[in-house]
């Protein structure tokens, strides 16, 4: 008897590109570690993957994002779908932008034959290089090495979105909201505060804490913060970001 083919829904699958220039073939290598025993898919350190797995933190982030039933949500880096599924349950639809084809398959499996399946669109590709569709709200657990590029792309995105709730490295989050005269005040602070309001919502913990994350590195003592960038008062669409 011939094997039946599996039908999976992909609204768009684009070409996979690395997050930054100059990457080598090493980024396609999946580094295995014993810390992955609680997760079937190992994070790829070449693209900075670390999966948020604590349900309480996921719930808190979604609550603070203020997801509404009419919202189109852009999720950058859905990973294994731990935040994607509850976002689908609370929103009109979710556009999940994912670089790793393994994660694309995993998220599709999570929603297959569920009411949420029809509300999900997956775009496979580089979050920096891919053109973003319309969205009301962005929720993302961002690889640290592309945090600046993502924020600048958010600030330049049109039409304007309501807000973005981002899980980022603690120091990066503090740079977003740093005030003039403070040690962390920089070009990122100027541009972000020129165009948006920044609120620090939640200190999550260390990436190496296996109660919170699935990560490839036991020694990663980087703390993470959840920041909200609100663009409700951004009417000066012709402003140019400082280079």
């Amino acid at each position: 008897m011939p094997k039946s083919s599996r039908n999976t829904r992909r609204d768009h699958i684009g070409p996979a590109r690395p997050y930054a220039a100059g990457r080598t073939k090493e980024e396609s290598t999946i580094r295995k570690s014993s810390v992955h025993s609680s997760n079937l898919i190992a994070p790829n350190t070449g693209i900075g993957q670390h999966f948020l797995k604590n349900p309480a933190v996921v719930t808190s982030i979604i609550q603070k994002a203020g997801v509404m039933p009419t919202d189109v949500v852009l999720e950058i880096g859905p990973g294994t779908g731990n935040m994607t599924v509850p976002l689908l349950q609370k929103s009109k639809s979710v556009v999940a932008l994912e670089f790793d084809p393994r994660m694309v398959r995993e998220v599709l499996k999570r929603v297959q034959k569920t009411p949420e399946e029809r509300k999900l669109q997956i775009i496979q590709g580089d979050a920096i290089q891919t053109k973003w569709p319309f969205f009301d709200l962005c929720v993302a657990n961002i690889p640290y090495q592309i945090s600046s590029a993502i924020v600048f792309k958010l600030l330049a995105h049109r039409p304007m979105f309501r807000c973005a709730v981002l899980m980022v490295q603690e120091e990066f989050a503090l740079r977003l909201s740093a005030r003039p005269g403070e040690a962390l005040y920089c070009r990122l602070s100027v541009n972000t505060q020129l165009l948006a309001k920044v609120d620090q919502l939640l200190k999550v913990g260390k990436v190496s804490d296996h109660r919170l994350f699935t990560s490839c590195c036991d020694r990663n003592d980087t703390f993470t913060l959840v920041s909200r960038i609100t663009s409700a008062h951004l009417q000066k669409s012709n402003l140019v970001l400082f280079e």
Side-chain angles (χ1 to χ4, degrees), residues 92-149:
K92 177 182 178 181
S93 63
V94 172
V95 180
L97 180 53
E98 176 58 60
F99 173 73
D100 189 340
R102 300 174 307 145
M103 300 303 113
V104 171
R105 293 191 294 269
E106 186 69 15
V107 174
L108 287 170
K109 284 192 291 184
R110 289 282 294 268
V111 301
Q112 195 172 28
K113 298 181 181 179
T114 71
E116 287 73 42
E117 183 177 15
R118 61 181 179 80
K119 298 167 65 177
L120 175 65
Q121 175 187 357
I122 294 185
I123 301 175
Q124 183 184 338
D126 182 344
I128 307 303
Q129 302 294 334
T130 301
K131 182 178 179 180
W132 295 354
F134 166 83
F135 60 93
D136 300 293
L137 175 70
C138 176
V139 179
N141 176 19
I142 302 176
Y144 296 149
Q145 64 263 43
I146 61 167
S147 297
S148 291

Side-chain angles (χ1 to χ4, degrees), residues 151-158 160 191-192 195-196 229 241:
V151 168
F152 280 117
K153 188 163 182 173
L154 280 167
L155 294 175
H157 184 74
R158 300 294 182 273
M160 198 59 70
N191 280 306
T192 305
L195 296 172
I229 299 175
L241 300 182

Side-chain angles (χ1 to χ4, degrees), residues 194-211:
L194 178 67
L195 296 172
K197 176 186 176 185
V198 180
D199 296 295
Q200 305 300 348
L201 303 179
L202 179 67
K203 187 168 184 176
V204 177
K206 297 180 180 180
V207 174
S208 58
D209 188 340
H210 302 314
R211 296 169 298 177

